[in-house]
Amino acid sequence: MVVVLGMLALLVLPSLIGIVRDRRIDRQIEEAQEHDGAQGHEGEKDQKSSSRSTVPSTATWYADGRRSKKLVSS
């Protein structure tokens, strides 16, 4: 019975550690958001998009061409 409880503990322990870690990270994110909100939006500037046109790369063009080809059975 001790062996079974030990195996159960070994299986459950990583999940518990992950849950504790996620809660700590969530708490840190909430504190950072509250801290940012308290400072106000004094220095904020509107984000501007790039004026460059977006052209797909050669790799993207090649991959799209390969995906669109039909398989031919002989």
Side-chain angles (χ1 to χ4, degrees), residues 1-70:
M1 188 162 179
V2 173
V3 172
V4 172
L5 289 175
M7 289 175 56
L8 180 65
L10 286 175
L11 291 174
V12 173
L13 189 62
S15 297
L16 293 177
I17 292 172
I19 290 169
V20 170
R21 182 174 177 256
D22 286 346
R23 288 191 181 198
R24 180 176 45 100
I25 291 171
D26 288 343
R27 196 174 334 117
Q28 290 174 349
I29 290 172
E30 288 175 5
E31 289 174 2
Q33 287 175 343
E34 289 174 5
H35 181 68
D36 289 344
Q39 287 181 352
H41 303 286
E42 298 167 359
E44 251 182 50
K45 294 182 179 179
D46 292 334
Q47 183 179 2
K48 296 180 181 178
S49 63
S50 175
S51 60
R52 293 187 342 178
S53 64
T54 55
V55 178
S57 68
T58 304
T60 304
W61 172 82
Y62 179 75
D64 287 341
R66 298 283 292 175
R67 271 189 232 116
S68 66
K69 290 186 178 180
K70 306 270 186 214

